[in-house]
Amino acid sequence: AMSLAGSVIRPIPLGQATVVMFGQSFLNRFTPMNAGGMAMRIRYLQKGGTDVTVSTAAIGLTSAASGLMQVVFIVFFLLWSSSDPAGDVSTGGDSSGHNFTLILIFAGAIVVAGIVMAATPKFRRWVVAFVTSTLEKIRHDFGELARRPSKLGLLFGGAAIGKMATIVAFVAACRGFGVEIPFAELGAMYLVANTIASTVPTPGGVGAIEAALILVLTNAGVPQATAWAAVLLFRLINYWLPTIPGYVGLKVSQSREYV
């Protein structure tokens, strides 16, 4: 909601944006590539008086901010985990070896994403159009946003807080089953697994993110049964339970004509 409020010049009520974001998260449970949620956010901005082209580009800008923070967090957590002196004790082996594997998996995910784009003309055209609209948004409006530190703080701060909150939830789920891998290394594992899952066009990465998280955990020495339990608990809290407030947010957004 913070990122959405920071993506356009006009003021957006944060409480209203939060309701809409809950609603769009519910739609994303049933549509691939977050298509339903993106359409709802565009409609929300359009209903508030923003031109439909600018609204589309604004959603692209929030995705660009999220992608940028994803890269920043991956680099930060990989560097942090590499310098963590507790890494070798917790994982029962060479921490640098685990980190190198994570880097290889991350690089592989980028290659897979490129292959998917090259082999799928429709997907490639959608990505090109999406990136083009985002760049157009940046060219026309980012100059104005750049002169408003509060808007930039919302745009990038919202993306950063959201990602950190998800990492904390993943670490908490792992701690609940006795996984004592350092916070920095678990954060790197989650970010790499999330990047891998994003290449699979299923709603919310269902199936892909579970498999990727279990892969990185077992690679770090976590017993398979423990990895399964921790990942399923994390996904229950982070993905499935929010469908309840998400459904409420969707109905409230419709009844109050936010969308």
Side-chain angles (χ1 to χ4, degrees):
M2 289 172 61
S3 290
L4 183 63
S7 67
V8 291
I9 297 172
R10 70 176 178 85
I12 291 181
L14 191 59
Q16 192 179 96
T18 300
V19 172
V20 171
M21 289 302 293
F22 269 113
Q24 68 91 38
S25 72
F26 179 79
L27 292 179
N28 284 340
R29 298 299 186 267
F30 309 101
T31 56
M33 306 300 293
N34 297 329
M38 290 175 62
M40 183 172 174
R41 283 179 284 162
I42 291 171
R43 178 62 176 165
Y44 168 66
L45 293 178
Q46 185 184 7
K47 286 270 288 187
T50 304
D51 179 79
V52 63
T53 302
V54 176
S55 298
T56 303
I59 301 308
L61 187 56
T62 62
S63 297
S66 178
L68 177 61
M69 294 311 302
Q70 179 87 354
V71 172
V72 170
F73 269 52
I74 287 173
V75 172
F76 173 74
F77 272 92
L78 285 175
L79 291 176
W80 183 12
S81 61
S82 297
S83 62
D84 188 347
D88 292 342
V89 177
S90 314
T91 58
D94 182 6
S95 177
S96 62
H98 296 315
N99 292 331
F100 181 68
T101 302
L102 290 176
I103 293 171
L104 286 178
I105 294 174
F106 176 65
I110 300 299
V111 171
V112 169
I115 293 173
V116 170
M117 285 185 61
T120 314
K122 279 189 176 181
F123 182 62
R124 184 172 65 249
R125 286 194 295 269
W126 179 84
V127 170
V128 170
F130 188 73
V131 171
T132 301
S133 67
T134 300
L135 293 177
E136 191 68 14
K137 164 70 177 179
I138 293 173
R139 189 174 70 86
H140 281 103
D141 294 351
F142 194 72
E144 180 64 25
L145 289 175
R147 291 191 287 271
R148 302 189 182 192
S150 61
K151 286 289 184 180
L152 291 179
L154 288 171
L155 179 63
F156 292 101
I161 292 172
K163 290 186 184 301
M164 182 57 74
T166 305
I167 291 170
V168 169
F170 175 63
V171 173
C174 290
R175 293 285 186 263
F177 287 94
V179 177
E180 295 301 327
I181 296 174
F183 181 90
E185 194 167 341
L186 284 174
M189 290 177 185
Y190 170 76
L191 290 165
V192 171
N194 181 256
T195 302
I196 295 170
S198 67
T199 64
V200 181
T202 59
V206 173
I209 193 166
E210 289 86 354
L213 287 172
I214 291 168
L215 172 65
V216 294
L217 283 173
T218 53
N219 177 71
V222 178
Q224 192 171 51
T226 302
W228 270 95
V231 169
L232 291 178
L233 174 63
F234 165 68
R235 290 292 277 172
L236 174 66
I237 295 171
N238 180 255
Y239 186 80
W240 293 110
L241 287 182
T243 57
I244 299 172
Y247 178 77
V248 174
L250 178 62
K251 289 302 181 181
V252 171
S253 297
Q254 292 173 331
S255 64
R256 296 186 181 180
E257 298 185 344
Y258 294 160
V259 295

